[in-house]
Amino acid sequence: MIELGVNIDHIATVRQARRTVEPDPVWAAVMAELGGADGITVHLREDRRHINDRDVALLRETVRCKLNLEMACVEEIVKIACKTVPDQATLVPERREEITTEGGLDVAGQKSTVQKMVRCLQDCGVVVSLFLDPDPQQIESGIATGCDAIEIHTGRYALAENDQARNAERARILAVGEMIVSAGLRLHAGHGLTYHNVLPIAEIPKMQELNIGHSIISRALMSGLKEAVAEMKRLLGTVQNNSK
């Protein structure tokens, strides 16, 4: 079966909105594992806008499935990864002003730097994946770094306005997927995948891992809100109100 990596960054985003201690991403990881997640994905950004160093350390101690640490191709974060030793590291592009990761990593323009980081992580026993656009040049450059897997950025597929555009994007993903598999690498995909558009990507031959976050967290918020309100009402119902 295809492995499902659940990205829990948005749990930390809610926590940071009030700069408090809840909801805790570590709790979310446990619940995701109980739900059957094959992996937990978090992005440790340079500005620590959501996931922080404490989260990564505790997740390494508590996660029993695959821990996938997304990170920019910078020495500070790579050093943290080498110290923490997640099961997998996914190198992604990063800009301070972006809301979420926009596009894939430009390996072709910085191949020597990426290759250095890939080797450093692998020397520490970490499996390395690169987050790349479905562009043949980028895929070829990614393969040349010696990485273990390539995660195809599915953003354009997810944002396609009609079936024709969506099918064209899937065809691009399918073509580069064949390149990745032929090179002996693991084929992953992610970004913008939802309950409505995931199956055509999941059905791509040799697809091994899908990383999905926003859609799952959004669904969980809705499906769990009713019970959360009911639980608060039950709690308040235990109070003997003497104001009457």
mmCIF file of all heavy atoms in Angstrom, residues 178-220:
data_model
loop_
_atom_site.group_PDB
_atom_site.id
_atom_site.type_symbol
_atom_site.label_atom_id
_atom_site.label_comp_id
_atom_site.label_asym_id
_atom_site.label_seq_id
_atom_site.Cartn_x
_atom_site.Cartn_y
_atom_site.Cartn_z
ATOM 1 N N GLU A 178 8.231 8.247 -13.976
ATOM 2 C CA GLU A 178 8.919 7.145 -14.649
ATOM 3 C C GLU A 178 10.429 7.343 -14.614
ATOM 4 O O GLU A 178 11.195 6.385 -14.450
ATOM 5 C CB GLU A 178 8.427 7.031 -16.087
ATOM 6 C CG GLU A 178 6.966 6.585 -16.200
ATOM 7 C CD GLU A 178 6.462 6.587 -17.623
ATOM 8 O OE1 GLU A 178 7.175 7.120 -18.505
ATOM 9 O OE2 GLU A 178 5.351 6.070 -17.866
ATOM 10 N N MET A 179 10.878 8.594 -14.747
ATOM 11 C CA MET A 179 12.310 8.887 -14.661
ATOM 12 C C MET A 179 12.850 8.532 -13.267
ATOM 13 O O MET A 179 13.919 7.930 -13.138
ATOM 14 C CB MET A 179 12.562 10.375 -14.938
ATOM 15 C CG MET A 179 12.243 10.844 -16.333
ATOM 16 S SD MET A 179 12.356 12.663 -16.483
ATOM 17 C CE MET A 179 14.054 12.956 -15.984
ATOM 18 N N ILE A 180 12.106 8.902 -12.259
ATOM 19 C CA ILE A 180 12.532 8.679 -10.879
ATOM 20 C C ILE A 180 12.626 7.182 -10.575
ATOM 21 O O ILE A 180 13.612 6.700 -10.014
ATOM 22 C CB ILE A 180 11.557 9.378 -9.908
ATOM 23 C CG1 ILE A 180 11.651 10.902 -10.081
ATOM 24 C CG2 ILE A 180 11.841 8.976 -8.459
ATOM 25 C CD1 ILE A 180 10.522 11.668 -9.421
ATOM 26 N N VAL A 181 11.590 6.467 -10.955
ATOM 27 C CA VAL A 181 11.550 5.026 -10.691
ATOM 28 C C VAL A 181 12.650 4.303 -11.475
ATOM 29 O O VAL A 181 13.317 3.402 -10.960
ATOM 30 C CB VAL A 181 10.164 4.454 -11.032
ATOM 31 C CG1 VAL A 181 10.178 2.934 -10.960
ATOM 32 C CG2 VAL A 181 9.106 5.022 -10.096
ATOM 33 N N SER A 182 12.853 4.727 -12.728
ATOM 34 C CA SER A 182 13.892 4.097 -13.563
ATOM 35 C C SER A 182 15.281 4.293 -12.983
ATOM 36 O O SER A 182 16.179 3.471 -13.186
ATOM 37 C CB SER A 182 13.838 4.671 -14.986
ATOM 38 O OG SER A 182 12.622 4.340 -15.621
ATOM 39 N N ALA A 183 15.461 5.386 -12.241
ATOM 40 C CA ALA A 183 16.760 5.659 -11.614
ATOM 41 C C ALA A 183 16.932 4.897 -10.298
ATOM 42 O O ALA A 183 17.986 4.998 -9.660
ATOM 43 C CB ALA A 183 16.906 7.159 -11.365
ATOM 44 N N GLY A 184 15.902 4.150 -9.906
ATOM 45 C CA GLY A 184 15.988 3.357 -8.685
ATOM 46 C C GLY A 184 15.653 4.118 -7.420
ATOM 47 O O GLY A 184 15.968 3.642 -6.316
ATOM 48 N N LEU A 185 15.022 5.283 -7.554
ATOM 49 C CA LEU A 185 14.661 6.089 -6.386
ATOM 50 C C LEU A 185 13.203 5.855 -6.003
ATOM 51 O O LEU A 185 12.384 5.438 -6.819
ATOM 52 C CB LEU A 185 14.869 7.581 -6.685
ATOM 53 C CG LEU A 185 16.277 8.157 -6.503
ATOM 54 C CD1 LEU A 185 17.267 7.472 -7.435
ATOM 55 C CD2 LEU A 185 16.261 9.670 -6.758
ATOM 56 N N ARG A 186 12.900 6.159 -4.750
ATOM 57 C CA ARG A 186 11.507 6.106 -4.287
ATOM 58 C C ARG A 186 10.740 7.288 -4.859
ATOM 59 O O ARG A 186 11.259 8.407 -4.926
ATOM 60 C CB ARG A 186 11.443 6.146 -2.758
ATOM 61 C CG ARG A 186 11.848 4.847 -2.070
ATOM 62 C CD ARG A 186 11.869 5.015 -0.554
ATOM 63 N NE ARG A 186 10.616 5.537 -0.030
ATOM 64 C CZ ARG A 186 9.613 4.765 0.418
ATOM 65 N NH1 ARG A 186 9.723 3.446 0.394
ATOM 66 N NH2 ARG A 186 8.502 5.316 0.898
ATOM 67 N N LEU A 187 9.494 7.044 -5.236
ATOM 68 C CA LEU A 187 8.635 8.072 -5.808
ATOM 69 C C LEU A 187 7.623 8.546 -4.769
ATOM 70 O O LEU A 187 6.803 7.762 -4.277
ATOM 71 C CB LEU A 187 7.910 7.519 -7.035
ATOM 72 C CG LEU A 187 6.874 8.438 -7.711
ATOM 73 C CD1 LEU A 187 7.526 9.732 -8.187
ATOM 74 C CD2 LEU A 187 6.211 7.698 -8.873
ATOM 75 N N HIS A 188 7.710 9.826 -4.422
ATOM 76 C CA HIS A 188 6.792 10.446 -3.466
ATOM 77 C C HIS A 188 6.073 11.606 -4.149
ATOM 78 O O HIS A 188 6.529 12.094 -5.192
ATOM 79 C CB HIS A 188 7.548 10.990 -2.252
ATOM 80 C CG HIS A 188 8.348 9.978 -1.507
ATOM 81 N ND1 HIS A 188 9.241 10.326 -0.513
ATOM 82 C CD2 HIS A 188 8.399 8.629 -1.597
ATOM 83 C CE1 HIS A 188 9.814 9.231 -0.016
ATOM 84 N NE2 HIS A 188 9.323 8.192 -0.666
ATOM 85 N N ALA A 189 4.998 12.078 -3.543
ATOM 86 C CA ALA A 189 4.303 13.257 -4.064
ATOM 87 C C ALA A 189 3.576 13.971 -2.934
ATOM 88 O O ALA A 189 3.241 13.358 -1.912
ATOM 89 C CB ALA A 189 3.312 12.863 -5.167
ATOM 90 N N GLY A 190 3.334 15.255 -3.120
ATOM 91 C CA GLY A 190 2.604 15.999 -2.112
ATOM 92 C C GLY A 190 2.464 17.468 -2.453
ATOM 93 O O GLY A 190 3.160 17.980 -3.320
ATOM 94 N N HIS A 191 1.556 18.130 -1.797
ATOM 95 C CA HIS A 191 1.237 19.552 -1.840
ATOM 96 C C HIS A 191 -0.128 19.773 -2.506
ATOM 97 O O HIS A 191 -0.303 19.523 -3.691
ATOM 98 C CB HIS A 191 2.275 20.408 -2.563
ATOM 99 C CG HIS A 191 2.156 21.873 -2.197
ATOM 100 N ND1 HIS A 191 2.711 22.406 -1.057
ATOM 101 C CD2 HIS A 191 1.508 22.886 -2.796
ATOM 102 C CE1 HIS A 191 2.429 23.695 -0.977
ATOM 103 N NE2 HIS A 191 1.692 24.011 -2.017
ATOM 104 N N GLY A 192 -1.063 20.237 -1.700
ATOM 105 C CA GLY A 192 -2.392 20.567 -2.195
ATOM 106 C C GLY A 192 -3.289 19.367 -2.438
ATOM 107 O O GLY A 192 -4.385 19.518 -2.988
ATOM 108 N N LEU A 193 -2.861 18.189 -2.038
ATOM 109 C CA LEU A 193 -3.686 17.002 -2.250
ATOM 110 C C LEU A 193 -4.822 16.971 -1.230
ATOM 111 O O LEU A 193 -4.629 17.272 -0.051
ATOM 112 C CB LEU A 193 -2.839 15.734 -2.139
ATOM 113 C CG LEU A 193 -1.736 15.589 -3.187
ATOM 114 C CD1 LEU A 193 -0.940 14.312 -2.958
ATOM 115 C CD2 LEU A 193 -2.319 15.605 -4.600
ATOM 116 N N THR A 194 -6.009 16.606 -1.712
ATOM 117 C CA THR A 194 -7.205 16.599 -0.875
ATOM 118 C C THR A 194 -7.963 15.288 -1.044
ATOM 119 O O THR A 194 -7.592 14.431 -1.856
ATOM 120 C CB THR A 194 -8.156 17.751 -1.265
ATOM 121 O OG1 THR A 194 -8.745 17.455 -2.546
ATOM 122 C CG2 THR A 194 -7.413 19.089 -1.345
ATOM 123 N N TYR A 195 -9.043 15.154 -0.300
ATOM 124 C CA TYR A 195 -9.896 13.973 -0.426
ATOM 125 C C TYR A 195 -10.514 13.880 -1.817
ATOM 126 O O TYR A 195 -10.927 12.813 -2.252
ATOM 127 C CB TYR A 195 -11.007 14.025 0.628
ATOM 128 C CG TYR A 195 -10.497 13.922 2.052
ATOM 129 C CD1 TYR A 195 -10.079 15.064 2.735
ATOM 130 C CD2 TYR A 195 -10.425 12.696 2.697
ATOM 131 C CE1 TYR A 195 -9.599 14.978 4.037
ATOM 132 C CE2 TYR A 195 -9.947 12.605 4.003
ATOM 133 C CZ TYR A 195 -9.541 13.746 4.668
ATOM 134 O OH TYR A 195 -9.055 13.661 5.951
ATOM 135 N N HIS A 196 -10.573 15.000 -2.530
ATOM 136 C CA HIS A 196 -11.238 15.041 -3.838
ATOM 137 C C HIS A 196 -10.288 14.809 -5.012
ATOM 138 O O HIS A 196 -10.715 14.370 -6.075
ATOM 139 C CB HIS A 196 -11.938 16.389 -4.021
ATOM 140 C CG HIS A 196 -12.917 16.703 -2.937
ATOM 141 N ND1 HIS A 196 -14.103 16.032 -2.795
ATOM 142 C CD2 HIS A 196 -12.869 17.600 -1.922
ATOM 143 C CE1 HIS A 196 -14.766 16.503 -1.734
ATOM 144 N NE2 HIS A 196 -14.032 17.458 -1.195
ATOM 145 N N ASN A 197 -9.001 15.104 -4.838
ATOM 146 C CA ASN A 197 -8.098 15.015 -5.999
ATOM 147 C C ASN A 197 -6.948 14.023 -5.837
ATOM 148 O O ASN A 197 -6.109 13.886 -6.718
ATOM 149 C CB ASN A 197 -7.515 16.403 -6.320
ATOM 150 C CG ASN A 197 -6.602 16.947 -5.220
ATOM 151 O OD1 ASN A 197 -6.087 16.211 -4.389
ATOM 152 N ND2 ASN A 197 -6.397 18.252 -5.213
ATOM 153 N N VAL A 198 -6.900 13.315 -4.716
ATOM 154 C CA VAL A 198 -5.728 12.497 -4.416
ATOM 155 C C VAL A 198 -5.649 11.202 -5.222
ATOM 156 O O VAL A 198 -4.546 10.734 -5.552
ATOM 157 C CB VAL A 198 -5.661 12.171 -2.905
ATOM 158 C CG1 VAL A 198 -6.806 11.248 -2.482
ATOM 159 C CG2 VAL A 198 -4.316 11.570 -2.540
ATOM 160 N N LEU A 199 -6.771 10.604 -5.566
ATOM 161 C CA LEU A 199 -6.735 9.270 -6.161
ATOM 162 C C LEU A 199 -5.980 9.199 -7.491
ATOM 163 O O LEU A 199 -5.206 8.253 -7.702
ATOM 164 C CB LEU A 199 -8.156 8.718 -6.310
ATOM 165 C CG LEU A 199 -8.831 8.322 -4.993
ATOM 166 C CD1 LEU A 199 -10.210 7.721 -5.254
ATOM 167 C CD2 LEU A 199 -7.965 7.342 -4.200
ATOM 168 N N PRO A 200 -6.154 10.167 -8.418
ATOM 169 C CA PRO A 200 -5.379 10.080 -9.661
ATOM 170 C C PRO A 200 -3.867 10.111 -9.437
ATOM 171 O O PRO A 200 -3.108 9.532 -10.221
ATOM 172 C CB PRO A 200 -5.851 11.305 -10.456
ATOM 173 C CG PRO A 200 -7.243 11.542 -9.963
ATOM 174 C CD PRO A 200 -7.159 11.249 -8.492
ATOM 175 N N ILE A 201 -3.424 10.766 -8.382
ATOM 176 C CA ILE A 201 -1.994 10.787 -8.057
ATOM 177 C C ILE A 201 -1.598 9.472 -7.387
ATOM 178 O O ILE A 201 -0.547 8.896 -7.692
ATOM 179 C CB ILE A 201 -1.659 11.976 -7.139
ATOM 180 C CG1 ILE A 201 -1.997 13.309 -7.846
ATOM 181 C CG2 ILE A 201 -0.183 11.946 -6.734
ATOM 182 C CD1 ILE A 201 -1.231 13.538 -9.139
ATOM 183 N N ALA A 202 -2.449 8.988 -6.511
ATOM 184 C CA ALA A 202 -2.159 7.726 -5.825
ATOM 185 C C ALA A 202 -2.083 6.557 -6.805
ATOM 186 O O ALA A 202 -1.372 5.574 -6.558
ATOM 187 C CB ALA A 202 -3.231 7.448 -4.773
ATOM 188 N N GLU A 203 -2.799 6.672 -7.904
ATOM 189 C CA GLU A 203 -2.849 5.585 -8.887
ATOM 190 C C GLU A 203 -1.656 5.582 -9.850
ATOM 191 O O GLU A 203 -1.530 4.683 -10.683
ATOM 192 C CB GLU A 203 -4.153 5.672 -9.676
ATOM 193 C CG GLU A 203 -5.387 5.340 -8.819
ATOM 194 C CD GLU A 203 -6.689 5.722 -9.486
ATOM 195 O OE1 GLU A 203 -6.632 6.359 -10.575
ATOM 196 O OE2 GLU A 203 -7.748 5.418 -8.920
ATOM 197 N N ILE A 204 -0.778 6.572 -9.753
ATOM 198 C CA ILE A 204 0.415 6.593 -10.606
ATOM 199 C C ILE A 204 1.293 5.383 -10.264
ATOM 200 O O ILE A 204 1.566 5.122 -9.089
ATOM 201 C CB ILE A 204 1.192 7.903 -10.415
ATOM 202 C CG1 ILE A 204 0.395 9.071 -11.028
ATOM 203 C CG2 ILE A 204 2.584 7.825 -11.024
ATOM 204 C CD1 ILE A 204 1.014 10.432 -10.823
ATOM 205 N N PRO A 205 1.723 4.621 -11.265
ATOM 206 C CA PRO A 205 2.521 3.419 -11.008
ATOM 207 C C PRO A 205 3.759 3.698 -10.151
ATOM 208 O O PRO A 205 4.446 4.689 -10.355
ATOM 209 C CB PRO A 205 2.915 2.956 -12.420
ATOM 210 C CG PRO A 205 1.813 3.474 -13.292
ATOM 211 C CD PRO A 205 1.444 4.800 -12.697
ATOM 212 N N LYS A 206 3.998 2.821 -9.188
ATOM 213 C CA LYS A 206 5.175 2.854 -8.310
ATOM 214 C C LYS A 206 5.171 4.015 -7.320
ATOM 215 O O LYS A 206 6.195 4.286 -6.682
ATOM 216 C CB LYS A 206 6.471 2.898 -9.122
ATOM 217 C CG LYS A 206 6.596 1.784 -10.157
ATOM 218 C CD LYS A 206 6.660 0.415 -9.522
ATOM 219 C CE LYS A 206 6.871 -0.668 -10.567
ATOM 220 N NZ LYS A 206 6.935 -2.029 -9.978
ATOM 221 N N MET A 207 4.044 4.699 -7.176
ATOM 222 C CA MET A 207 3.959 5.743 -6.150
ATOM 223 C C MET A 207 4.072 5.081 -4.789
ATOM 224 O O MET A 207 3.344 4.138 -4.479
ATOM 225 C CB MET A 207 2.646 6.509 -6.264
ATOM 226 C CG MET A 207 2.519 7.673 -5.291
ATOM 227 S SD MET A 207 3.732 8.998 -5.573
ATOM 228 C CE MET A 207 3.117 9.671 -7.132
ATOM 229 N N GLN A 208 4.977 5.572 -3.957
ATOM 230 C CA GLN A 208 5.237 4.923 -2.678
ATOM 231 C C GLN A 208 4.825 5.741 -1.463
ATOM 232 O O GLN A 208 4.537 5.168 -0.404
ATOM 233 C CB GLN A 208 6.722 4.567 -2.555
ATOM 234 C CG GLN A 208 7.144 3.446 -3.488
ATOM 235 C CD GLN A 208 8.567 3.001 -3.234
ATOM 236 O OE1 GLN A 208 9.500 3.459 -3.875
ATOM 237 N NE2 GLN A 208 8.751 2.107 -2.283
ATOM 238 N N GLU A 209 4.789 7.077 -1.592
ATOM 239 C CA GLU A 209 4.474 7.888 -0.412
ATOM 240 C C GLU A 209 3.769 9.170 -0.827
ATOM 241 O O GLU A 209 4.183 9.844 -1.776
ATOM 242 C CB GLU A 209 5.755 8.225 0.350
ATOM 243 C CG GLU A 209 5.559 9.133 1.563
ATOM 244 C CD GLU A 209 6.876 9.425 2.276
ATOM 245 O OE1 GLU A 209 7.560 8.453 2.672
ATOM 246 O OE2 GLU A 209 7.235 10.612 2.416
ATOM 247 N N LEU A 210 2.703 9.512 -0.115
ATOM 248 C CA LEU A 210 2.015 10.783 -0.306
ATOM 249 C C LEU A 210 2.040 11.540 1.011
ATOM 250 O O LEU A 210 1.730 10.974 2.067
ATOM 251 C CB LEU A 210 0.562 10.557 -0.747
ATOM 252 C CG LEU A 210 0.359 9.890 -2.102
ATOM 253 C CD1 LEU A 210 -1.129 9.663 -2.362
ATOM 254 C CD2 LEU A 210 0.963 10.727 -3.225
ATOM 255 N N ASN A 211 2.413 12.813 0.960
ATOM 256 C CA ASN A 211 2.420 13.654 2.155
ATOM 257 C C ASN A 211 1.294 14.666 2.061
ATOM 258 O O ASN A 211 1.245 15.476 1.128
ATOM 259 C CB ASN A 211 3.771 14.347 2.303
ATOM 260 C CG ASN A 211 4.846 13.385 2.773
ATOM 261 O OD1 ASN A 211 4.798 12.917 3.912
ATOM 262 N ND2 ASN A 211 5.798 13.066 1.914
ATOM 263 N N ILE A 212 0.372 14.599 3.027
ATOM 264 C CA ILE A 212 -0.831 15.423 3.010
ATOM 265 C C ILE A 212 -1.004 16.050 4.381
ATOM 266 O O ILE A 212 -0.902 15.356 5.401
ATOM 267 C CB ILE A 212 -2.069 14.587 2.643
ATOM 268 C CG1 ILE A 212 -1.845 13.867 1.302
ATOM 269 C CG2 ILE A 212 -3.319 15.461 2.582
ATOM 270 C CD1 ILE A 212 -2.940 12.897 0.925
ATOM 271 N N GLY A 213 -1.274 17.344 4.419
ATOM 272 C CA GLY A 213 -1.431 18.018 5.699
ATOM 273 C C GLY A 213 -2.687 18.839 5.821
ATOM 274 O O GLY A 213 -3.611 18.494 6.559
ATOM 275 N N HIS A 214 -2.766 19.935 5.071
ATOM 276 C CA HIS A 214 -3.842 20.910 5.252
ATOM 277 C C HIS A 214 -5.227 20.289 5.134
ATOM 278 O O HIS A 214 -6.126 20.569 5.947
ATOM 279 C CB HIS A 214 -3.689 22.049 4.233
ATOM 280 C CG HIS A 214 -4.636 23.180 4.447
ATOM 281 N ND1 HIS A 214 -5.845 23.273 3.793
ATOM 282 C CD2 HIS A 214 -4.565 24.270 5.244
ATOM 283 C CE1 HIS A 214 -6.465 24.362 4.169
ATOM 284 N NE2 HIS A 214 -5.714 24.990 5.057
ATOM 285 N N SER A 215 -5.421 19.441 4.147
ATOM 286 C CA SER A 215 -6.736 18.852 3.937
ATOM 287 C C SER A 215 -7.144 17.949 5.095
ATOM 288 O O SER A 215 -8.302 17.967 5.539
ATOM 289 C CB SER A 215 -6.751 18.056 2.622
ATOM 290 O OG SER A 215 -8.041 17.551 2.351
ATOM 291 N N ILE A 216 -6.196 17.163 5.598
ATOM 292 C CA ILE A 216 -6.504 16.270 6.713
ATOM 293 C C ILE A 216 -6.779 17.053 7.987
ATOM 294 O O ILE A 216 -7.734 16.771 8.720
ATOM 295 C CB ILE A 216 -5.352 15.268 6.925
ATOM 296 C CG1 ILE A 216 -5.292 14.282 5.744
ATOM 297 C CG2 ILE A 216 -5.526 14.506 8.244
ATOM 298 C CD1 ILE A 216 -4.126 13.320 5.811
ATOM 299 N N ILE A 217 -5.946 18.059 8.274
ATOM 300 C CA ILE A 217 -6.150 18.866 9.482
ATOM 301 C C ILE A 217 -7.472 19.626 9.395
ATOM 302 O O ILE A 217 -8.209 19.734 10.383
ATOM 303 C CB ILE A 217 -4.976 19.845 9.696
ATOM 304 C CG1 ILE A 217 -3.645 19.090 9.840
ATOM 305 C CG2 ILE A 217 -5.232 20.726 10.911
ATOM 306 C CD1 ILE A 217 -3.621 18.061 10.949
ATOM 307 N N SER A 218 -7.824 20.131 8.213
ATOM 308 C CA SER A 218 -9.089 20.841 8.026
ATOM 309 C C SER A 218 -10.270 19.907 8.265
ATOM 310 O O SER A 218 -11.254 20.271 8.930
ATOM 311 C CB SER A 218 -9.173 21.417 6.610
ATOM 312 O OG SER A 218 -8.163 22.371 6.392
ATOM 313 N N ARG A 219 -10.191 18.687 7.740
ATOM 314 C CA ARG A 219 -11.263 17.710 7.941
ATOM 315 C C ARG A 219 -11.370 17.333 9.417
ATOM 316 O O ARG A 219 -12.480 17.183 9.948
ATOM 317 C CB ARG A 219 -11.000 16.474 7.084
ATOM 318 C CG ARG A 219 -12.043 15.355 7.199
ATOM 319 C CD ARG A 219 -13.376 15.768 6.608
ATOM 320 N NE ARG A 219 -13.282 16.022 5.192
ATOM 321 C CZ ARG A 219 -13.556 15.117 4.241
ATOM 322 N NH1 ARG A 219 -13.897 13.893 4.581
ATOM 323 N NH2 ARG A 219 -13.493 15.447 2.956
ATOM 324 N N ALA A 220 -10.243 17.201 10.067
ATOM 325 C CA ALA A 220 -10.243 16.841 11.487
ATOM 326 C C ALA A 220 -10.892 17.930 12.332
ATOM 327 O O ALA A 220 -11.615 17.647 13.296
ATOM 328 C CB ALA A 220 -8.810 16.598 11.960
#
